[in-house]
Amino acid sequence: MAPFNKRQIGYIKAIADVGGHTTYKHNNLGVSDTLDKLTANTTHDGMGKYAFVTIGKAPKVYTSGSTNTLHAINDSRPWFHEIPVYDVTVNTDETGVSGTQRVTPECYLESVHARMRLIQQLDVTDNTQSHQEYRMLVFRHKERQCNDERYAENFSNPLYDMFLNGDNYKTGPLGYRNKTALSGQNDYSGSSDHANDIQSLLTCMTNKEDYVFMKDVRFYLGKEYGGKHIYEDVLHWNHADPIATEATDLTFNESNNKNYTWYIAFFASTNSPGVAADFPYIRFDTTTHVTSG
């Protein structure tokens, strides 16, 4: 059965008298006043820096090694950040419900809107760090991933398979994925070879066999580029999905098998021989729109 279009959904909501209560839930990432740099990891060659952000809670994925052990992808990784945009609590007391809560387990996830601001520091003593190249990717897996494995269909780890290298191996900043064994296990292996040095990570083809890429952009900031040191972007997901769940996290539902987990990856390089990148300040502000009641 084909999904309902927006006009049909509007009709259903009107007939069922759904949407009496409107929720706008704000989340952010990044301290606004101090401009603290986002915590990042260093590439195997020591020259590049990178960090990841998930829209929604970090999903459960496979670890490296031959066993299919699951863990949250941000476990023990302070450079893997999450924005819990789908956390919207239920408060059935219509007289006391706030504008950030929903009044019924049955609701419509209307949309998620994100504003991003990246600022590179120009006031540096080392001129080789005054200009940098960046790559930003926004993507999700083709199958459903979730923080609660009961609702997940796939446990692929983009840190090992978001790219394709020249040997047609699926790779990522932490390693690569061996060809799938007859047993069906995905064997992720740590690697420190040319497949994930910063120059490869800036130019590798994306793995479109497993992932859907919404955005893949490269840009340059710093003194050598006219003094431009700020990059801004807007991301919008227009869901309009009916959801029924008593859980705070809207993705913990059996209403559909849609994958709501989106990854945002940032890579940085000075492109100066022997000079490591300096990761910038990154700020996210998100708004989750839900109707219920």
Side-chain angles (χ1 to χ4, degrees):
M1 180 178 177
F4 293 119
N5 60 40
K6 296 184 71 173
R7 180 177 295 180
Q8 291 170 322
I9 288 175
Y11 176 76
I12 295 170
K13 291 164 74 172
I15 294 299
D17 194 24
V18 174
H21 180 77
T22 299
T23 302
Y24 290 101
K25 178 70 179 296
H26 172 250
N27 287 279
N28 60 42
L29 174 67
V31 181
S32 60
D33 295 330
T34 59
L35 297 185
D36 291 339
K37 297 170 184 176
L38 195 69
T39 302
N41 198 24
T42 303
T43 54
H44 286 297
D45 61 349
M47 294 294 99
K49 293 284 182 65
Y50 63 92
F52 280 69
V53 177
T54 55
I55 298 296
K57 291 179 181 176
K60 296 289 179 62
V61 296
Y62 291 133
T63 61
S64 60
S66 58
T67 59
N68 288 344
T69 304
L70 292 176
H71 70 160
I73 196 171
N74 63 343
D75 281 356
S76 302
R77 292 175 178 143
W79 46 268
F80 207 115
H81 312 268
E82 64 178 12
I83 308 176
V85 300
Y86 303 114
D87 280 7
V88 183
T89 57
V90 180
N91 184 352
T92 57
D93 180 8
E94 295 190 17
T95 61
V97 66
S98 73
T100 62
Q101 299 174 319
R102 52 195 166 106
V103 294
T104 55
E106 299 78 18
C107 65
Y108 279 82
L109 172 59
E110 304 287 1
S111 64
V112 174
H113 189 78
R115 289 87 64 201
M116 188 276 291
R117 183 173 173 87
L118 182 152
I119 302 177
Q120 178 176 315
Q121 183 179 354
L122 291 182
D123 186 18
V124 293
T125 56
D126 187 351
N127 193 52
T128 58
Q129 287 187 326
S130 66
H131 48 276
Q132 295 191 149
E133 179 182 3
Y134 296 92
R135 184 179 189 181
M136 182 182 81
L137 304 100
V138 183
F139 62 103
R140 64 165 173 83
H141 200 277
K142 290 183 177 180
E143 298 179 338
R144 188 177 185 181
Q145 294 189 304
C146 191
N147 179 262
D148 188 332
E149 61 266 29
R150 294 176 300 171
Y151 302 102
E153 297 176 347
N154 185 279
F155 304 101
S156 293
N157 190 332
L159 297 174
Y160 297 88
D161 66 5
M162 64 181 288
F163 295 121
L164 288 176
N165 69 10
D167 298 326
N168 200 36
Y169 266 78
K170 296 172 182 179
T171 66
L174 288 186
Y176 66 94
R177 189 172 85 185
N178 285 321
K179 305 295 183 180
T180 304
L182 293 177
S183 62
Q185 292 180 327
N186 291 327
D187 187 0
Y188 291 119
S189 300
S191 174
S192 58
D193 58 22
H194 67 279
N196 47 25
D197 64 277
I198 186 58
Q199 295 303 319
S200 293
L201 294 171
L202 287 172
T203 58
C204 263
M205 294 185 297
T206 53
N207 173 13
K208 294 182 180 179
E209 180 182 346
D210 299 315
Y211 297 95
V212 174
F213 287 83
M214 175 180 177
K215 189 179 288 282
D216 181 3
V217 296
R218 289 166 62 188
F219 52 94
Y220 307 84
L221 298 177
K223 293 180 180 179
E224 299 299 317
Y225 306 107
K228 181 180 178 181
H229 65 289
I230 297 176
Y231 175 84
E232 294 180 331
D233 212 333
V234 174
L235 305 170
H236 186 81
W237 292 270
N238 191 23
H239 294 296
D241 293 333
I243 287 176
T245 179
E246 295 184 356
T248 297
D249 192 325
L250 296 176
T251 66
F252 295 0
N253 74 80
E254 296 179 347
S255 305
N256 59 59
N257 64 347
K258 185 174 180 177
N259 185 12
Y260 292 99
T261 301
W262 286 84
Y263 302 100
I264 305 175
F266 298 92
F267 298 91
S269 172
T270 64
N271 292 328
S272 296
V275 180
D278 184 36
F279 207 76
Y281 164 84
I282 297 178
R283 166 85 176 189
F284 275 93
D285 281 280
T286 66
T287 300
T288 305
H289 179 198
V290 175
T291 55
S292 60

